[in-house]
């Protein structure tokens, strides 16, 4: 290897967290495999000026994709009123986006390696923008849920091209700077989402403001798409990646068969089909395991590599990602419904209430690499503990202040939980990948990105079920406030349970981040 090939790779982001890039790793996070007899075509790096313009364009895409994971939460009560949406539909508005987003990541990255990342970015962003318009124009709950599925798929298609563009455009210090800008964009988009959503609804009105939460993407996309076509560097890729459509279908089927009864079962009284669906999910995952083992033994390229999953620290880390993202991402879902539906406060007020969580997470994430270097695995223990304690304190404060907590009551608990989450999200990737062989590091990062999004979807499904199953309005003063306060406490305790599971899984991760094999 040359000096440039062997240099330490720069951190990238898959979903909401950083992955680790190495020389020769595909832009979506998987080891590149050139076609036999065909030398890989070199990717020409753009000049400094052109390169930063290209990076600026893809960062707009990153901002849009991740903004939509948080901005929608404050719009849920308005969507419920405007479309007469059921509680299950509100859960699908959030979880369907996350699930489609996560499932699209790995196959879209492989397609980018084969066909080039610029076309994938343009196609994915176009789908995302058109689906955003469909969300904003939806006339009923079925239309908005369908549009959110397509929107999430579009985000998952174009997102791998963001890291790829940075990876292929810059090297050395400039690449580090570009990835730093990506991390700041991700943190900023998640932090400002609730407040921006509240401002849009306050400005456009509660009746139709939720529509502009989605339609704003059309305005941004109308500028970003032509700029991307103009500024993104052309690239041709001769990397022959195999697709695993059977594996993807089995994974999707298993997740849907598990999520559908979680979301729909409670409002239908848990009919017999729920048990049948859970059983079918187990069968689908068993078939997935059989298929992936069979594919790897035959020398194919499975979606989920069994040899990777055989590494205890990696499997525990992937499960950690599912549990932790299920535990902390759905907190905003509960608070939004409590504050607006239960306490009859505005979307803007709701957005401001969760500001301590968002910005504390952004601040601690900025120093998480230093903390992990000093504390080792204990940074994950400390972070998970802070998140669990913070959410538990939020539940306690709501209980003590019920039925009408003030807008200031959650500042301390959410600040603590936010600081903890920022300490966990970024370092987790490094610890999970610590014992993964170097030639599998990219694939592992892609799987973890999917695990994060799947965890978010599962979290919304479970927390939403707990919230609405325990929502019983009794006659009396402040009846709705009292009912939502009670059910929100139980939902937040379910969040704590998810985080505790993640905390227990930390013991399977290495104490320190060892050198890669």
């Amino acid at each position: 290897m040359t000096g440039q090939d062997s240099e330490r790779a720069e951190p990238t982001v898959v979903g909401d967290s950083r992955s680790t890039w190495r020389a020769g790793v595909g832009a979506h996070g998987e080891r590149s495999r050139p076609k036999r007899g065909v030398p890989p075509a070199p990717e020409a790096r753009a000049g400094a000026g052109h390169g930063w313009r290209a990076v600026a364009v893809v960062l707009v895409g990153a901002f849009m994709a991740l903004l939509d994971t948080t901005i929608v939460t404050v719009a849920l009560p308005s969507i419920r009123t405007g479309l007469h949406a059921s509680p299950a539909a509100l859960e699908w508005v959030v979880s369907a986006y996350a699930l489609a987003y996560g499932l699209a990541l790995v196959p879209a990255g492989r397609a980018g390696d084969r066909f080039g990342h610029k076309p994938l970015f343009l196609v994915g962003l176009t789908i995302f923008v058109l689906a955003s318009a469909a969300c904003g124009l939806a006339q009923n709950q079925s239309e908005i849920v369908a549009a959110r599925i397509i929107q999430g798929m579009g985000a998952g298609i174009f997102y791998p091209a963001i890291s790829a563009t940075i990876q292929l455009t810059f090297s050395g210090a400039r690449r580090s700077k570009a990835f730093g800008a990506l991390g700041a964009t991700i943190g900023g988009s998640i932090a400002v989402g609730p407040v921006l959503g509240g401002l849009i609804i306050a400005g456009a009105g509660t009746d139709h403001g939720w529509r502009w939460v989605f339609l704003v993407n059309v305005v941004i996309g109308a500028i970003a798409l032509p700029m991307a076509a103009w500024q993104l560097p052309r690239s041709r890729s001769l990397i022959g990646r195999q697709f695993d459509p059977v594996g993807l279908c089995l994974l999707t089927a298993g997740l849907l068969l598990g999520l559908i009864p979680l979301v729909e079962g409670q409002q239908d009284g848990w009919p017999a089909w729920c048990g049948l669906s859970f059983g079918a999910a187990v069968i689908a995952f068993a078939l997935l395991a059989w298929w992936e083992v069979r594919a790897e033994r035959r020398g194919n390229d499975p979606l989920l590599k069994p040899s990777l999953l055989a590494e205890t620290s990696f499997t525990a880390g992937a499960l950690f990602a599912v549990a932790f993202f299920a535990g902390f991402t759905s907190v905003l879902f509960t608070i939004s419904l409590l504050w607006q539906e239960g306490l009859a406060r505005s979307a803007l007020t709701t957005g401001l209430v969760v500001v301590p969580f968002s910005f504390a997470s952004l601040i601690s994430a900025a120093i998480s690499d230093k903390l992990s270097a000093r504390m080792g695995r204990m940074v994950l223990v400390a972070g998970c503990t802070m998140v669990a304690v913070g959410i538990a304190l939020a539940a306690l404060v709501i209980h003590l202040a019920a039925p009408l907590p003030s807008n200031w009551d959650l500042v301390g608990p959410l600040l603590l939980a936010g600081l903890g989450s920022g300490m966990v999200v970024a370092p987790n990737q490094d610890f999970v990948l610590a014992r993964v062989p170097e030639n599998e590091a990219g694939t592992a990062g892609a799987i973890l990105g999917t695990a994060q999004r799947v965890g978010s979807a599962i979290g919304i499904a479970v927390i939403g079920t707990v919230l609405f199953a325990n929502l019983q309005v009794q006659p009396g003063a402040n009846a709705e406030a009292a009912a939502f306060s009670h059910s929100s406490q139980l939902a937040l305790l379910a969040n704590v349970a998810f985080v505790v599971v993640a905390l227990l899984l930390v013991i399977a991760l290495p104490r320190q981040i060892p050198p890669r094999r």
Side-chain angles (χ1 to χ4, degrees), residues 78 136 200-201 204-213 215:
S78 298
I200 291 173
I201 293 173
T206 54
D207 291 336
H208 299 290
W210 67 268
R211 297 185 182 275
W212 283 101
V213 167
L215 293 176

Side-chain angles (χ1 to χ4, degrees), residues 28-112:
H28 69 295
E30 298 196 52
R31 172 64 58 177
S32 302
R33 295 181 182 178
K35 290 181 179 178
R36 292 184 180 179
V38 182
E43 301 275 7
R45 298 193 186 278
H50 181 83
W52 281 114
R53 290 194 294 270
V55 169
V57 171
V58 296
L59 289 184
V60 172
F63 182 85
M64 294 168 69
L66 293 168
L67 182 72
D68 263 52
T69 64
T70 56
I71 192 174
V72 174
T73 56
V74 297
L76 290 175
S78 298
I79 292 172
R80 183 180 188 179
T81 302
L83 297 180
H84 306 289
S86 67
L90 295 183
E91 294 176 45
W92 282 123
V93 166
V94 181
S95 60
Y97 177 84
L99 184 61
Y101 185 169
L103 290 173
L105 282 173
V106 175
R110 292 184 179 186

Side-chain angles (χ1 to χ4, degrees), residues 389-476:
V389 172
I391 297 175
L393 286 175
L396 178 61
V397 167
I398 292 172
H399 174 74
L400 295 175
L404 298 172
S406 77
N407 296 329
W408 293 97
D409 287 343
L410 296 186
V411 170
L414 291 184
L415 189 68
L416 179 63
L419 288 171
S421 69
M423 292 170 59
V424 170
V425 173
N428 171 49
Q429 195 90 355
D430 290 333
F431 281 96
V432 172
L433 298 177
R435 291 177 180 169
V436 172
E438 182 176 318
N439 66 328
E440 299 289 0
T443 300
I447 293 173
L448 287 179
T450 298
Q452 293 167 3
R453 304 274 65 78
V454 168
S456 297
I458 292 173
I460 291 295
V462 173
I463 300 306
T465 297
V466 173
L467 178 70
F468 292 116
N470 293 281
L471 184 61
Q472 299 178 357
V473 180
Q474 303 292 338

